[in-house]
Amino acid sequence: MTHPSDLLSAFAAGTLPAERADPVARHVADCPGCAAELIAWRRVAGAVGDRVAAVGVPSPGLLDAVLARLVPARGAAPGVPRYAAPLGGAAGRRAVRILAAQRRLVDRRVWPVAAVVLAAGTAVAGWAPPGSSEQVLAIVVPLVAALGVAGACGSGTDPAGELVAASRTGVRAVLLARLTLVLGAIFGAASVASLGLAWFDAGAPPGLFAAWLGPMALLSAVSFALSVLWRPAVGIGVAMCLWVLRLLAGSDALDGTVDRLVEPLWRTSGPLLLVAALLMAGTLALLPHLPASLGRRAYGR
């Protein structure tokens, strides 16, 4: 027979059936190389046996406790067991802990990129001619938000996807927490920038918040939906196309019809905010029910 290297470990452990162990024994008796390999496997078996003997015998109820955690409750649908330890006593405390945990799981590149672009945009807005700061913020803040949402929530960008899939927290809660964290941080930074410009620049227009709030919500919603349901590159690409169209609005490069279509997207209004909220909510509602081939593997679905 040929050298039974793949059978020597089982032969050393004594788990080979007799009809297979006898030919191996005869081969080892005549093959110095396999005999030496068998000696090494027996040393491993002896070391493992010594370690096992040194471990104390578990309590009789340990296996029953483990099985009780794995078996679903009566009437519940079978599935992958979830970690059942409470993250917080009350629902509010648990939500805060889930939100705080996302800070460590979100791609670290999101924060410095968003900070640098927003800081540069604020500086440009401060040096812009009087009355032009709102136009600069209306261009910069939505772009930062769209890129940040795509980087934090897009499928395939989760470095802890297996942990998310094995935890008690569902994919909707994870994405909602990340969306809240990223948009909340960018909203806070943009608000500080707007207040700073209004404080130091007497010529700054009073509608600084309204200049970027609606466009930020819309581009973030578009980027979020396409990045989660498809892939981040698509979400970023579509958001960038809308952003470029707004950048070129009013110039000779675009037709007047395109200008009229793009301009309302850059105005903060109730219908615009409602559309953005519905798009985000619809994405969260559809995500668990769509096939994994659309890119939700990163979230364990």
Side-chain angles (χ1 to χ4, degrees), residues 104-205:
R104 300 189 298 271
L105 298 179
V106 169
D107 193 331
R108 295 179 180 179
R109 294 171 295 182
V110 169
W111 306 116
V113 171
V116 168
V117 176
L118 190 57
T122 303
V124 172
W127 293 330
S132 302
S133 55
E134 66 173 349
Q135 299 178 11
V136 177
L137 290 184
I139 292 295
V140 174
V141 176
L143 178 63
V144 172
L147 297 179
V149 168
C153 303
S155 62
T157 62
D158 193 353
E162 294 298 328
L163 294 178
V164 172
S167 70
R168 182 182 181 185
T169 306
V171 60
R172 290 173 176 169
V174 171
L175 285 179
L176 183 59
R178 293 188 183 183
L179 184 64
T180 303
L181 179 65
V182 173
L183 286 186
I186 294 175
F187 175 83
S191 299
V192 171
S194 299
L195 291 174
L197 289 174
W199 178 267
F200 291 106
D201 185 6

Side-chain angles (χ1 to χ4, degrees), residues 59 86 109-110 141 201 210 220 232 244 293 299:
S59 61
R109 294 171 295 182
V110 169
V141 176
D201 185 6
S220 299
V244 170
S293 59
Y299 303 103

Side-chain angles (χ1 to χ4, degrees), residues 245-266:
L245 288 176
R246 176 61 182 86
L247 198 63
L248 297 176
S251 66
D252 297 335
L254 294 181
D255 182 75
T257 303
V258 178
D259 289 346
R260 288 191 294 272
L261 292 176
V262 173
E263 190 65 28
L265 302 180
W266 247 259

